[in-house]
Amino acid sequence: MDEGIQDYRGKKVIVRFDATKCIHSRHCVLGNPKVFVANAPGAWIQPDAASPEEIAALSHACPSGALTYERLDGGEQERAPQVNTVHLRENGPLAFHADIEIQGHGRCYRATLCRCGASRNKPFCDNSHVAANFVATGEPPAVDSEALLERAGSLTITPNPNGPLLVEGNLEVCSGTGRTLNRTQKTWLCRCGASQNKPYCDGTHRKIGFTT
């Protein structure tokens, strides 16, 4: 088990929780409070309280990737989606869903990355946008873009020191409600919180002395 990751073993599935990535979206405790028991005095995750299929669905709903699972019953493990996406959470982070390689942080299928500039766990969101009163719409205007020939595949994210996220690979940029805003194979996304062209970088990080 990796440092900081908690394993909850059931008869048919292991649920893993990485508190360092959790943004408290609460899809888990609202989705099945018998499995994810809020404020429990003991183990707060009960893998045997639902079927492995339901555990998998609940984990897939976790945007940050803080929840993952390993099926022990021979069932299908999590796979990359058929369409790589990043959703813009209103006044919040960038929620990626793809076969992601975050440089310096390994591979994953789901991740919420900071775009307010205030996270103390960069490149990941730690909910600092709330205290910082970060404002960034999740519904910016769409831009003209051509349909991608391939919509899946590996997505590489490179957090540039003191600068934006360089994202390379097939990607659909989506609003918080799911509307497609852009289709790209290479883009720079703001993570200083000050761009006037959010979610894209416009070079403002240099003017404000943004540091990571």
Side-chain angles (χ1 to χ4, degrees):
M1 182 171 64
D2 294 336
E3 183 179 356
I5 299 179
Q6 305 164 18
D7 275 15
Y8 296 86
R9 179 179 287 269
K11 296 177 181 178
K12 297 181 179 181
V13 64
I14 299 172
V15 179
R16 295 191 171 95
F17 174 64
D18 186 348
T20 64
K21 294 182 179 179
C22 182
I23 62 169
H24 306 287
S25 62
R26 303 187 74 236
H27 292 302
C28 55
V29 296
L30 295 177
N32 191 326
K34 292 182 179 179
V35 176
F36 300 96
V37 188
N39 304 314
W44 75 282
I45 299 179
Q46 302 292 329
D48 291 332
S51 68
E53 290 78 12
E54 186 172 359
I55 294 290
L58 290 164
S59 297
H60 295 165
C62 173
S64 67
L67 286 174
T68 56
Y69 63 92
E70 178 184 348
R71 293 187 63 163
L72 307 175
D73 63 346
E76 187 176 63
Q77 308 294 348
E78 183 170 5
R79 297 186 299 173
Q82 296 184 40
V83 180
N84 294 343
T85 59
V86 58
H87 284 78
L88 312 179
R89 294 176 69 94
E90 187 78 14
N91 303 328
L94 300 161
F96 286 88
H97 189 201
D99 179 8
I100 311 165
E101 172 73 26
I102 303 176
Q103 294 299 306
H105 299 275
R107 302 194 75 85
C108 59
Y109 291 133
R110 292 166 281 119
T112 45
L113 302 187
C114 175
R115 67 169 177 150
C116 74
S119 173
R120 290 163 292 187
N121 187 35
K122 296 181 182 70
F124 302 100
C125 171
D126 69 354
N127 273 344
S128 290
H129 55 272
V130 178
N133 293 318
F134 177 63
V135 177
T137 181
E139 302 290 332
V143 299
D144 290 335
S145 58
E146 296 184 2
L148 298 170
L149 295 178
E150 298 290 340
R151 304 175 75 190
S154 180
L155 191 73
T156 301
I157 302 176
T158 304
N160 286 312
N162 307 326
L165 297 171
L166 170 59
V167 185
E168 298 174 287
N170 302 318
L171 181 67
E172 296 201 11
V173 181
C174 301
S175 72
T177 56
R179 180 169 54 93
T180 297
L181 304 173
N182 194 7
R183 303 168 184 85
T184 181
Q185 292 180 306
K186 185 175 183 179
T187 189
W188 287 262
L189 299 180
C190 173
R191 65 173 181 147
C192 74
S195 171
Q196 298 300 303
N197 187 36
K198 297 182 186 68
Y200 309 103
C201 173
D202 68 355
T204 299
H205 57 276
R206 292 188 292 268
K207 298 177 183 178
I208 65 173
F210 174 64
T211 60
T212 57

